[in-house]
Amino acid sequence: MNVKKILMISLFGFGLIASPHIGQAQKRKMIQIKGSDTMVNLVQILAEEYMAKNPGAPIAVSGGGSGTGISAIINQTCDIANHSREWRQKEIDLAWEKGVKPRFFVIAVDCLSIIVNEKNTVEKLTTFELGAIYRGEIKNWKAVGGPDKVVSLYGRQSNSGTYVFMQEHVLGNRNYSADMKEMNGNAQIIEGILQDEGGIGYVGVGYLFDKDGKIRKGIKVLRIAKDNKSPAFSPLDKAAVDRGDYPVARPLYQATPGRPNAAVSAFIAFEIGPEGQKIVEREGFFTIGAKDKEQNEKNLR
Amino acid sequence: MVPKRMREVRLSRLKEEGIKAFFFTNGVLAVVVLVGIFGLLLSTAIPAFKEIPVREFLASKTWDPTSPEKAQYGILSMIVSTLMVTAGALLIAMPVGLGVASYLSDVAHWRVREVVKPIIEILAGIPSVVVGFLGIVLFGPVIAKIFHTGHGLNAANGSFLLAIMALPTIISLSEDSLNAVPLSYAEASLALGASRWQTLIRVKIPAALSGIIASFMLGMGRAIGETMTVLMATGNARSFPHGFLDSIRTMTANIAIELGEVPYHTTHYYGLFAIGLVLFILTFIVNLVADVILSKYQQREQ
């Protein structure tokens, strides 16, 4: 993956040196994608598969964070921005001032499942309760209708995008409890929950299944409700995730500066089409719902 | 025209000078690299203290540089965690190591020793990742079951694993120094009517003490600096530890976790180097103490 990237960059550089005309032609043709680190692997793989089918359409993908991608669109230094958060009003205003009218596409849905040990009697939580648990305000499962057991927190390390996502969307931008055990990856969190009857953890949905495609023995996936009044949904309920009813999910976006040109729109069409969505699913993300699909197609025109 | 003999002498002298210069360069290079590393560490760590008061850095318990509320840079919890897990490891490894060394040097049949000692030395070559893995899948569940803690990712687990990692060094070096005690000491003791136990405890171990202490210090050095094992097995919770059954985060684990993704030239980045500096000073003190103890005993022996 990286080798390809380096090769492409060096080829691009060589082209620039060799002949300014060829360089410029390539520059125009090469699709530049920048932004979210959560999405960089997914989009890289999408780009590789797309390039394998369309050899004449080089794509370069790089990370840097959602903010980097968004400002690159505003400054018109890239063709597509990956962003895992929505644009702030300030950013949209700034783009319009510069004459850029960004268009947004949802290419996948990132979904976190909240898991506990199967011996835990708790079945569902509200996002408020979940936040309070991770902030360290609820210390015993009794407080949320569970057994009289101390809550044992499992989470990711601060360099993980998932850590930030939980902090922003569930903890309400407040501090994690210092008692949270910070694990090296999704698999380690699951190992911990399997043993720990008081444990709670968050992992990507793809990690829940064993090699037969069944939910791993010993863990229980909690249903999560937006608030007290709303019903709780499981992240495994595809229809609920598609409707946007599962609260610990976020759309993964791409933005273009204005109406995408033919090359860019062909790539986006591939991403949101059946082939691209199959890759999205394979990489552990969720496919987009009907509403997003409709909006995407409107924006492509 | 220069006579042949003189030319030869000049040539060999030149060769000698060249070889001397080569070894000199090598010697200097090692020192330069060391000084360079220290200089880099110092120059990258110092900017941290422009923004973090030294007092807060060393005395505050909360480390949360990416907090959306207020970034905090206190490493007291991590210092205590590192010292705790190291002390725990030594508490286990010192008696066991000395026991095994005594057994190998004084009790075991020479054939047993010839087999066991290389095996113990091979233990030193087990990668720390593998030891950490054992901690997660083997010792963790056992600790959880014995103490009913729900999980075994805590300081006790880390201490246990570090003890295992320090044992080969301690056993091997202690056994060597026990063997190096002159035979006449033991013979004299036995001739005076002392039992083998008394000979071992009162004569051989005191005579070999400098080597034994050196082995403890080397084991300790390994335990303080070890990263991967504690990163995997101790849970990495940032809270202040209240006992060996709490999850802890050591200084090394914190650097390993955060350095990969930290934006360069920020307070957080400099702060991580400052932790490295503290770690460096800690190991330096350990080595210094070891040296002082060693030279004291050597003087007494003479």
Side-chain angles (χ1 to χ4, degrees), chain A:
Chain A
M1 188 176 85
N2 270 329
V3 175
K4 255 186 193 168
K5 222 186 278 177
I6 291 163
L7 206 77
M8 222 141 44
I9 290 164
S10 49
L11 268 178
F12 175 56
F14 182 72
L16 268 180
I17 297 161
S19 149
H21 292 288
I22 293 172
Q24 258 170 16
Q26 275 194 346
K27 193 176 172 186
R28 206 165 295 138
K29 250 175 79 188
M30 167 100 75
I31 300 175
Q32 297 281 353
I33 305 181
K34 253 184 211 168
S36 162
D37 288 319
T38 311
M39 297 168 67
V40 68
N41 282 338
L42 172 67
V43 175
Q44 180 72 41
I45 287 162
L46 283 165
E48 276 172 19
E49 303 237 343
Y50 180 74
M51 285 186 285
K53 292 200 174 73
N54 306 277
I59 301 170
V61 185
S62 62
S66 298
T68 313
I70 290 170
S71 58
I73 287 288
I74 296 172
N75 299 325
Q76 300 185 55
T77 55
C78 76
D79 301 299
I80 301 176
N82 294 329
H83 50 105
S84 57
R85 63 168 172 85
E86 285 182 27
W87 283 44
R88 304 203 169 96
Q89 192 54 45
K90 222 167 52 189
E91 288 161 342
I92 295 178
D93 292 345
L94 192 65
W96 277 75
E97 263 170 44
K98 293 200 173 192
V100 177
K101 294 170 189 161
R103 292 195 181 196
F104 308 110
F105 305 88
V106 177
I107 64 157
V109 176
D110 188 10
C111 203
L112 277 187
S113 50
I114 310 299
I115 55 170
V116 294
N117 189 283
E118 65 174 352
K119 294 209 179 100
N120 196 331
T121 50
V122 171
E123 296 288 338
K124 58 179 185 180
L125 291 172
T126 64
T127 46
F128 179 78
E129 286 167 335
L130 188 61
I133 286 174
Y134 269 99
R135 286 193 298 264
E137 290 155 15
I138 294 178
K139 290 186 188 297
N140 195 302
W141 281 106
K142 232 170 29 182
V144 289
D148 184 10
K149 246 189 167 55
V150 175
V151 174
S152 163
L153 299 171
Y154 291 80
R156 295 289 302 281
Q157 293 159 354
S158 59
N159 56 14
S160 143
T162 323
Y163 176 101
V164 178
F165 171 54
M166 276 291 283
Q167 194 159 39
E168 282 176 1
H169 288 76
V170 178
L171 274 70
N173 257 328
R174 306 256 303 279
N175 287 344
Y176 277 105
S177 159
D179 287 323
M180 179 171 81
K181 287 173 279 302
E182 298 189 10
M183 315 297 281
N184 240 341
N186 286 290
Q188 267 199 27
I189 292 180
I190 289 186
E191 279 308 314
I193 300 293
L194 283 174
Q195 291 161 16
D196 195 340
E197 286 177 30
I200 181 168
Y202 52 83
V203 295
V205 170
Y207 289 89
L208 294 173
F209 303 98
D210 60 16
K211 57 182 188 304
D212 303 323
K214 285 190 203 125
I215 296 283
R216 289 188 55 171
K217 264 211 177 77
I219 57 174
K220 176 156 67 178
V221 182
L222 291 184
R223 287 180 291 130
I224 307 294
K226 274 196 182 89
D227 48 51
N228 278 330
K229 289 162 215 143
S230 324
F233 292 99
S234 161
L236 304 166
D237 182 350
K238 179 85 178 67
V241 175
D242 284 350
R243 283 195 309 271
D245 282 340
Y246 183 70
V248 203
R250 57 176 169 176
L252 299 178
Y253 301 93
Q254 286 189 330
T256 56
R259 207 171 77 108
N261 63 33
V264 171
S265 91
F267 176 60
I268 293 177
F270 167 82
E271 288 180 307
I272 60 177
E275 279 176 280
Q277 290 300 300
K278 205 174 273 172
I279 297 167
V280 163
E281 206 154 26
R282 197 183 69 204
E283 293 302 309
F285 294 94
F286 274 79
T287 54
I288 51 180
K291 224 170 25 181
D292 287 326
K293 210 173 267 173
E294 206 175 297
Q295 187 60 40
N296 282 343
E297 266 146 31
K298 212 178 282 170
N299 279 344
L300 271 181
R301 264 178 255 132

Side-chain angles (χ1 to χ4, degrees), chain B residues 2 44 89 93 97 106 110 114 116 127 156 167 189 192 201 203-204 210 231 261 265 278 284 286:
Chain B
V2 191
T44 328
D106 271 52
W110 67 270
E114 291 310 302
V116 171
L167 268 177
S189 167
L192 285 171
I201 296 297
V203 177
K204 288 190 79 173
S210 61
L231 176 65
E261 301 281 331
H265 308 302
V278 171
F284 183 76
V286 169

Side-chain angles (χ1 to χ4, degrees), chain B residues 268-287:
Chain B
H268 186 186
Y269 175 81
Y270 295 131
L272 290 177
F273 276 88
I275 297 177
L277 188 67
V278 171
L279 201 58
F280 180 89
I281 292 169
L282 263 181
T283 43
F284 183 76
I285 291 173
V286 169
N287 285 335

